[in-house]
Amino acid sequence: VLDNGYDFVDNDDDPDDVFGHGCSVAGIIAANIDNGIGISGFATNSSILPIRVLGPNGSGSMADVAKGIVYAADNGADIINLSLGSFVGSQAEKDAIDYAVGKGVLVIASAGNSGGALPGYPARYDNVVAVGAIDSDGSRSSFSNKGGDIWGPGRDIHTIYLNNTYKQLNGTSFSAPYVSAMAAVLLGMGEELHLDGG
């Protein structure tokens, strides 16, 4: 975990997760391996730049999300995982994503959990990789929005939680980090990543 993260909710340099959601997402991506503790992440040598944009109840403003995206892009992020969503978009959020993509950042977002025909925002933007959820048998999870770019495990996901505990969770929020981790591994291998699947 890098030490130059930021908290856009409290506007300070202490981005510790107080809700637990971000902690669980980060664990899927980068939990340490071979330490005899808990789970193993899928891209364990990757670095996490912690940016807090949601409050203690898991909600927040589009403006803070946009600020977080720009901050990540300006502070060296190669991949931005957005395990969050809304039924509506915002110009500020779209502009921030366009800015990040323009700097060569791959933006990956959860498709949403309302079972709709289209992903929510920001996953619905054309230059974002929208990740839907599948069950262990490979079928679409009943809660997952459709119309995404790719699918990832999203039901009964075991991951880390606050205070050295663990949880079993459902949702596209936990599908997106599998794809982000896969992208991080490929990037580490020198692959060039493209939204069109290249």
Side-chain angles (χ1 to χ4, degrees), residues 22-115:
C23 177
S24 298
V25 168
I28 292 168
I29 297 171
N32 288 331
I33 63 171
D34 295 332
N35 60 359
I37 302 171
I39 67 164
S40 297
F42 282 77
T44 55
N45 292 323
S46 57
S47 298
I48 299 289
L49 176 64
I51 300 172
R52 182 174 176 235
V53 296
L54 301 179
N57 62 352
S59 62
S61 73
M62 297 269 192
D64 284 347
V65 172
K67 290 175 192 173
I69 293 168
V70 170
Y71 184 91
D74 285 344
N75 283 273
D78 296 308
I79 300 162
I80 296 176
N81 185 94
L82 295 170
S83 286
L84 49 79
S86 172
F87 290 112
V88 295
S90 83
Q91 192 62 49
E93 187 179 61
K94 184 179 186 308
D95 289 345
I97 289 169
D98 290 345
Y99 174 79
V101 171
K103 294 192 78 166
V105 179
L106 181 66
V107 181
I108 297 171
S110 51
N113 303 324
S114 61

Side-chain angles (χ1 to χ4, degrees), residues 99-177:
Y99 174 79
V101 171
K103 294 192 78 166
V105 179
L106 181 66
V107 181
I108 297 171
S110 51
N113 303 324
S114 61
L118 293 172
Y121 293 94
R124 196 182 301 186
Y125 296 123
D126 288 340
N127 53 358
V128 174
V129 178
V131 185
I134 56 172
D135 292 348
S136 60
D137 64 0
S139 63
R140 181 181 66 85
S141 301
S142 57
F143 56 78
S144 178
N145 288 354
K146 302 172 187 174
D149 297 298
I150 194 168
W151 303 89
R155 192 183 294 278
D156 300 328
I157 304 302
H158 295 272
T159 185
I160 62 175
Y161 194 63
L162 299 177
N163 302 315
N164 296 314
T165 61
Y166 301 87
K167 268 196 168 183
Q168 181 172 291
L169 299 163
N170 300 318
T172 59
S173 281
F174 311 108
S175 307

